[in-house]
């Protein structure tokens, strides 16, 4: 299925089914994992890129597992961690399987607010700007913080983070004024998509029905 709207809707159905399904029996979560792996293979999502994108989820998983220290049972903690990984992976798989503009066009066609779509598009387009600022501040801090890490280095690291925040805000303001001077009105138009093909629609309904059946099983 190549239609972005079908992929987005299936991703939403998958996330809802995983969130609503109990952890037991564990075969259910294994089946959800298999479905996600098949989708990533069919949509040609690189496994390495998928793993790298899921690295930030390690904090939430660790927090879920840390709940055992506050009286949560291991089954509940592990079940929550598994759900978080699967739901996040579903969103990452869909975002990696489609070009950014096509994905946002699908979201807009499904009725997503135009402001939200514009915000997502600008974030994806200018995220590298923040990355460049991070590299520059990191390089400057390392050139000045040599030797063993002590209190003085910790204080300088705090000032570096503050400088990064200030420089990022200044850079974003310059980009905003540059866009306004070129006619940006607050919303970026998305290209219209053709009607959903019958094959894509039928296959999407079949997969969604299978996911719901797994959740009710």
């Amino acid at each position: 299925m190549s239609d972005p709207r079908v992929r987005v809707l299936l991703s939403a159905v998958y996330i809802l089914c995983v969130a609503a399904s109990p952890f037991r029996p564990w075969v259910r979560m294994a089946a959800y994992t298999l479905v996600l792996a098949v989708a990533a293979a069919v949509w040609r999502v690189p496994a390495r890129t998928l793993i790298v994108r899921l690295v930030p989820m390690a904090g939430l998983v660790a927090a879920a597992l840390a709940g055992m220290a506050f009286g949560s049972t291991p089954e509940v903690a592990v079940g929550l961690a598994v759900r978080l990984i699967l739901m996040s992976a579903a969103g990452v798989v869909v975002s990696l399987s489609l070009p950014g503009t096509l994905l946002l066009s699908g979201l807009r066609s499904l009725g997503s607010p135009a402001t939200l779509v514009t915000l997502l598009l600008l974030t994806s387009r200018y995220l590298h700007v923040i990355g460049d600022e991070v590299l520059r501040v990191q390089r400057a801090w390392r050139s000045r913080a040599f030797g063993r890490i002590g209190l003085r280095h910790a204080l300088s690291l705090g000032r570096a983070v503050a400088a990064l925040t200030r420089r990022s805000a200044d850079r974003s303001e310059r980009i905003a004024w540059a866009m306004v001077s070129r006619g940006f009105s607050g919303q970026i138009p998305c290209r219209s998509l053709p009607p959903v093909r019958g094959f894509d629609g039928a296959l999407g309904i079949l997969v969604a029905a299978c996911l719901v059946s797994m959740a009710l099983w």
Side-chain angles (χ1 to χ4, degrees):
M1 59 191 72
S2 57
D3 195 283
R5 292 161 291 190
V6 176
R7 296 191 187 188
V8 171
L9 289 176
L10 283 180
S11 172
V13 172
Y14 180 91
I15 292 173
L16 291 175
C17 290
V18 171
S21 299
F23 183 68
R24 284 184 177 274
W26 63 267
V27 179
R28 189 199 313 269
M29 293 301 164
Y32 281 133
T33 305
L34 179 61
V35 170
L36 192 62
V38 171
V42 172
W43 293 340
R44 299 179 181 179
V45 176
R48 182 176 180 180
T49 306
L50 177 60
I51 294 174
V52 170
R53 294 290 181 88
L54 289 176
V55 167
M57 283 298 301
L60 291 177
V61 173
L65 296 177
M68 292 185 293
F70 298 94
S72 178
T73 61
E75 180 182 351
V76 173
V78 173
L80 179 59
V82 171
R83 289 190 189 92
L84 288 174
I85 294 175
L86 291 178
M87 290 188 294
S88 302
V92 174
V93 166
V94 173
S95 64
L96 292 176
S97 67
L98 292 168
T101 54
L102 192 58
L103 176 61
L104 295 176
S105 297
L107 290 173
R108 190 72 187 95
S109 299
L110 292 174
S112 299
T115 303
L116 176 62
V117 174
T118 300
L119 180 61
L120 291 175
L121 179 59
L122 292 179
T123 301
S124 62
R125 289 290 181 86
Y126 291 103
L127 191 61
H128 70 280
V129 176
I130 303 299
D132 294 341
E133 293 293 342
V134 170
L135 292 177
R136 279 193 284 269
V137 172
Q138 184 182 25
R139 191 181 302 113
W141 182 78
R142 286 182 175 178
S143 65
R144 292 166 175 80
F146 53 88
R148 298 182 61 182
I149 301 297
L151 179 60
R152 180 174 59 86
H153 296 93
L155 294 176
S156 65
L157 180 60
R159 288 192 290 269
V161 172
L164 172 63
T165 304
R166 184 180 65 254
R167 292 175 62 175
S168 299
D170 294 340
R171 187 74 176 272
S172 62
E173 187 174 356
R174 290 197 299 271
I175 292 175
W177 280 114
M179 293 179 63
V180 170
S181 65
R182 288 165 174 80
F184 179 66
S185 60
Q187 294 183 1
I188 296 179
C190 297
R191 66 175 182 177
S192 58
L193 297 176
V196 179
R197 296 187 303 173
F199 175 77
D200 287 342
L203 185 57
I205 293 174
L206 178 62
V207 175
C210 293
L211 293 173
V212 174
S213 300
M214 291 168 57
L216 299 176
W217 170 45

